[in-house]
Amino acid sequence: MAEKQTPNTSNGIEACAQVIRPLVAIVGRQNVGKSTLLNRLAGRRIAIVEDLPGTTRDRLTANVNWLGRDFTLIDTGGVESKGSSIFSDDINRQVDTAINEAALILFLVDAKDGLLPTDQDIAAKLRQVKNRVLLVANKADNDKADLISAELHPLGLGEPITISAYHGRGINDLLDAIMEHLPQIPSAVTDQPSSSLKIAIVGRPNVGKSMMLNQLLGEDRVIVSDIPGTTRDAIDTVLDFEGQSIILIDTAGIKRRGHQGEGVDKYSVIRSLDAIDRADIALLVMDASELVTAQDLHVAGYLQKAFKGVIIIINKWDLTKTLNKSEVTSCIRANFKFMRHAPVLYTSAKDGSGISAIIPQALDIYRERLKRIGTGELNSTVQQVLARHTPPHKGSRILKFLYVTQAEVNPPTFVFFVNDVTLMHFSYQRYLENQLRQNFGFNGTPLRLVFKARGK
């Protein structure tokens, strides 16, 4: 049974990315403009860009379309000389993975800086796959292409394509060159599924989110460290789970407002919140050794306001010796009263225990979010609910329900038409939501209840 729930990683991310869209990886040393180029080619700001070496650490992806053809672009962390930072080995390993996966590699160098020893080291590695490499000279803000070409000739990777990712100069030429070097893919294969379940892994820093993503994928897809804040961007990864296309989004830890720094730190939190907004379901990851913090409640409150499906995950359960699951669950229910619909799972991202239950649980919640109740059945049930508990009133005026309909799914949205919206009390609204759950389910997802006056 456990084997059935194992993600298909042998042809998961690679199959979805390479068969559906060819992969194009951007590699180079630090601060040559890789993230700026990703944003320029994608046509929107995906990667955090800052004039600081090492801002990008993990592989970021974006789907790009040019002249009717699609490819997936991968940004990588800047290659470092061995031992130059605590993350250098991890970053270089991620770059190696991107090179192995990519159908085409954009080797980005800085035309202003000229060749540095790190460029020579990267080129030595890329010459082994020369037929899959385009040499790109960035920050070429003038027309001295001949001088740039002569300086880069020792790399042995052919004529460079000169661009300015920041100003957009030469980008069309680069895209044309990419099209020439990419393999042709039949149009029948390039069609992606119309919809994919999007799952965001969220929580405060250092609760094990990136390690959990790696466990779900069955590979070291993102850098894992005990240092809080290692993940800075929201990273999308495609997973094929028993034929179901799922997008997993690893996010930076969401810090309390007073603890957020400037620059990269600030934008990382913004990206995390954006990731929540575009997700269907969030995995709220908490540390079993530190339950329950104010920041856990803050993140949960944001998920509730965004009407996202939620699974509460108590991670690092392997480190606890004295805690009892039933007692911890009672503690969670007591603190997260506004989220009693969310299931609670106990996991260890370190040894993998409990991880296999996450995706099946998320798929169950996704089905609940897509559930639609017929108007006739809904109104009949609501009339019975109203008869059991008299609606609120003010003086001689009593709240009357004319009819109700389900307007949307994902999240399930119910519109109640009443005689006077001002007569609605929050306690009665909570009663209606509880009754809808009791009669129709909707496990794991908030319900959006909208009240409208007659004729509006």
Side-chain angles (χ1 to χ4, degrees):
M1 188 68 175
E3 187 177 355
K4 182 182 178 182
Q5 295 175 349
T6 301
N8 186 358
T9 54
S10 63
N11 60 356
I13 176 72
E14 288 76 16
C16 288
Q18 290 184 342
V19 175
I20 297 175
R21 288 187 174 94
L23 291 183
V24 177
I26 308 174
V27 302
R29 59 179 170 82
Q30 291 183 349
N31 215 29
V32 295
K34 297 183 297 299
S35 296
T36 303
L37 179 58
L38 176 89
N39 291 339
R40 174 65 67 177
L41 293 176
R44 64 192 190 281
R45 186 164 175 151
I46 294 174
I48 297 174
V49 177
E50 186 155 315
D51 194 19
L52 292 171
T55 299
T56 299
R57 290 175 180 160
D58 289 309
R59 285 172 289 164
L60 306 175
T61 65
N63 293 326
V64 179
N65 179 282
W66 181 247
L67 301 178
R69 292 179 62 190
D70 295 320
F71 63 91
T72 296
L73 193 65
I74 305 176
D75 183 20
T76 64
V79 175
E80 304 176 359
S81 57
K82 187 173 180 61
S84 58
S85 83
I86 57 175
F87 294 112
S88 60
D89 290 342
D90 286 321
I91 293 173
N92 294 341
R93 188 161 53 248
Q94 295 293 326
V95 172
D96 289 341
T97 302
I99 291 173
N100 292 333
E101 292 178 353
L104 185 65
I105 301 156
L106 306 182
F107 177 28
L108 201 64
V109 297
D110 189 325
K112 290 183 177 179
D113 289 350
L115 286 183
L116 295 182
T118 307
D119 295 318
Q120 298 279 10
D121 293 341
I122 300 171
K125 183 179 296 187
L126 292 178
R127 280 195 292 271
Q128 301 173 23
V129 289
K130 183 178 178 180
N131 62 325
R132 292 193 288 120
V133 177
L134 288 179
L135 178 60
V136 183
N138 190 29
K139 305 182 184 180
D141 300 325
N142 52 46
D143 294 321
K144 298 180 181 178
D146 292 338
L147 293 177
I148 295 171
S149 178
E151 186 173 5
L152 299 181
H153 181 73
L155 293 177
L157 293 171
E159 290 294 316
I161 301 170
T162 57
I163 68 166
S164 171
Y166 184 80
H167 294 103
R169 181 179 181 272
I171 295 300
N172 287 358
D173 292 338
L174 174 59
L175 284 165
D176 288 340
I178 291 173
M179 293 299 103
E180 290 178 10
H181 287 79
L182 283 183
Q184 291 286 344
I185 296 178
S187 58
V189 179
T190 60
D191 293 334
Q192 276 200 322
S194 58
S195 63
S196 297
L197 166 60
K198 293 179 285 296
I199 303 175
I201 307 174
V202 302
R204 53 191 174 84
N206 209 31
V207 294
K209 299 182 296 298
S210 294
M211 188 178 291
M212 182 165 295
L213 174 63
N214 289 339
Q215 282 284 1
L216 289 168
L217 293 169
E219 63 171 340
D220 290 340
R221 195 65 185 179
V222 294
I223 296 170
V224 174
S225 170
D226 291 333
I227 301 173
T230 304
T231 300
R232 290 172 168 175
D233 269 295
I235 302 168
D236 290 17
T237 307
V238 180
L239 171 68
D240 178 1
F241 184 84
E242 299 179 359
Q244 169 74 48
S245 176
I246 297 172
I247 297 175
L248 297 174
I249 312 170
D250 185 27
T251 66
I254 302 175
K255 300 179 180 179
R256 286 181 292 172
R257 185 163 298 179
H259 290 242
Q260 295 172 15
E262 293 300 317
V264 172
D265 209 19
K266 176 181 177 182
Y267 288 110
S268 294
V269 174
I270 293 173
R271 294 297 169 80
S272 295
L273 298 179
D274 288 342
I276 291 173
D277 288 338
R278 59 191 174 89
D280 301 299
I281 295 170
L283 309 181
L284 176 55
V285 184
M286 298 165 58
D287 189 330
S289 63
E290 201 175 355
L291 297 170
V292 171
T293 71
Q295 187 60 7
D296 292 328
L297 291 168
H298 172 73
V299 177
Y302 189 88
L303 295 174
Q304 183 70 8
K305 289 180 180 178
F307 293 96
K308 301 302 176 181
V310 177
I311 302 174
I312 298 175
I313 296 183
I314 311 302
N315 193 35
K316 305 184 183 181
W317 190 248
D318 58 308
L319 301 179
T320 63
K321 304 298 182 184
T322 59
L323 295 181
N324 177 276
K325 283 187 179 181
S326 61
E327 292 177 355
V328 173
T329 301
S330 297
C331 173
I332 296 297
R333 296 302 182 207
N335 283 277
F336 294 85
K337 292 181 180 179
F338 55 91
M339 202 174 273
R340 290 183 175 175
H341 54 271
V344 180
L345 298 181
Y346 294 83
T347 68
S348 169
K350 186 175 183 179
D351 64 23
S353 60
I355 298 296
S356 63
I358 293 176
I359 297 300
Q361 181 74 77
L363 290 170
D364 287 343
I365 293 175
Y366 191 48
R367 283 188 284 268
E368 292 294 294
R369 285 177 68 81
L370 298 178
K371 183 187 294 184
R372 185 177 290 277
I373 310 302
T375 301
E377 181 183 6
L378 185 59
N379 279 272
S380 175
T381 300
V382 168
Q383 289 303 318
Q384 298 174 32
V385 168
L386 297 175
R388 288 196 293 269
H389 191 349
T390 305
H393 62 89
K394 289 183 181 178
S396 60
R397 289 185 56 78
I398 187 170
L399 181 64
K400 294 181 180 179
F401 288 78
L402 307 178
Y403 71 96
V404 59
T405 185
Q406 183 175 355
E408 297 177 10
V409 297
N410 198 22
T413 302
F414 298 91
V415 180
F416 293 80
F417 290 88
V418 298
N419 62 331
D420 187 350
V421 175
T422 63
L423 296 174
M424 174 56 67
H425 192 271
F426 75 89
S427 61
Y428 202 78
Q429 179 174 337
R430 188 167 59 230
Y431 165 72
L432 291 174
E433 179 177 342
N434 291 337
Q435 290 300 310
L436 287 174
R437 292 187 185 281
Q438 184 173 320
N439 283 276
F440 302 115
F442 297 111
N443 180 50
T445 180
L447 303 182
R448 179 184 282 139
L449 273 56
V450 180
F451 299 91
K452 292 186 176 183
R454 189 199 316 261
K456 291 190 178 181

